[in-house]
Amino acid sequence: QVQVVESGGGLVQTGGSLRLSCTASGIIFSINDMAWHRQAPGKQRELVASITSGGITNYVDSVKGRFTISRDDAKNTVYLQMNSLKPEDTAVYYCVLLPRFSSRTFWGQGTQVTVSS
């Protein structure tokens, strides 16, 4: 079955950096789009960044210029490099696999990112 597993969250000070990783298994990784969502306490989940199978990226305005999404198809892994972190980036970050040939999406369990002021 398809599994999506995130890692790399943690506690960081304002202005610091973290890199999240997400590895998928049980599916041909390279043909599928990938995305990172986040959910802060008391807020709705939001799309942070996405990357197509062809490498086209998209970001929510609040992270443009600070976050970078990338993928390594040889490792079945997508990354989210987060720089210049702010307290408002504190959230649980979820990796999502968006299969090309199905409307079903596959979510990881989430990883906590906490930015202290």
Side-chain angles (χ1 to χ4, degrees):
Q1 69 275 22
V2 178
Q3 288 190 315
V4 177
V5 180
E6 306 100 333
S7 61
L11 174 64
V12 65
Q13 291 186 333
T14 297
S17 297
L18 281 174
R19 188 176 80 157
L20 305 183
S21 299
C22 168
T23 300
S25 60
I27 195 168
I28 300 174
F29 182 82
S30 61
I31 65 172
N32 300 303
D33 299 346
M34 300 294 296
W36 288 94
H37 290 242
R38 67 184 178 187
Q39 187 166 22
K43 295 188 176 181
Q44 288 189 327
R45 192 172 294 184
E46 69 170 348
L47 173 64
V48 177
S50 63
I51 185 166
T52 68
S53 58
I56 297 172
T57 59
N58 189 46
Y59 301 91
V60 66
D61 285 347
S62 60
V63 307
K64 286 181 180 177
R66 300 189 297 122
F67 290 13
T68 302
I69 187 171
S70 62
R71 62 191 297 158
D72 185 340
D73 291 342
K75 296 182 178 180
N76 286 5
T77 300
V78 63
Y79 304 98
L80 186 66
Q81 177 67 44
M82 305 184 294
N83 298 328
S84 303
L85 282 161
K86 305 175 182 180
E88 51 263 44
D89 295 317
T90 294
V92 178
Y93 284 71
Y94 298 90
C95 178
V96 187
L97 187 149
L98 308 161
R100 172 176 291 186
F101 301 114
S102 173
S103 59
R104 179 181 177 182
T105 57
F106 297 91
W107 292 70
Q109 80 287 352
T111 186
Q112 177 70 47
V113 171
T114 303
V115 184
S116 63
S117 57

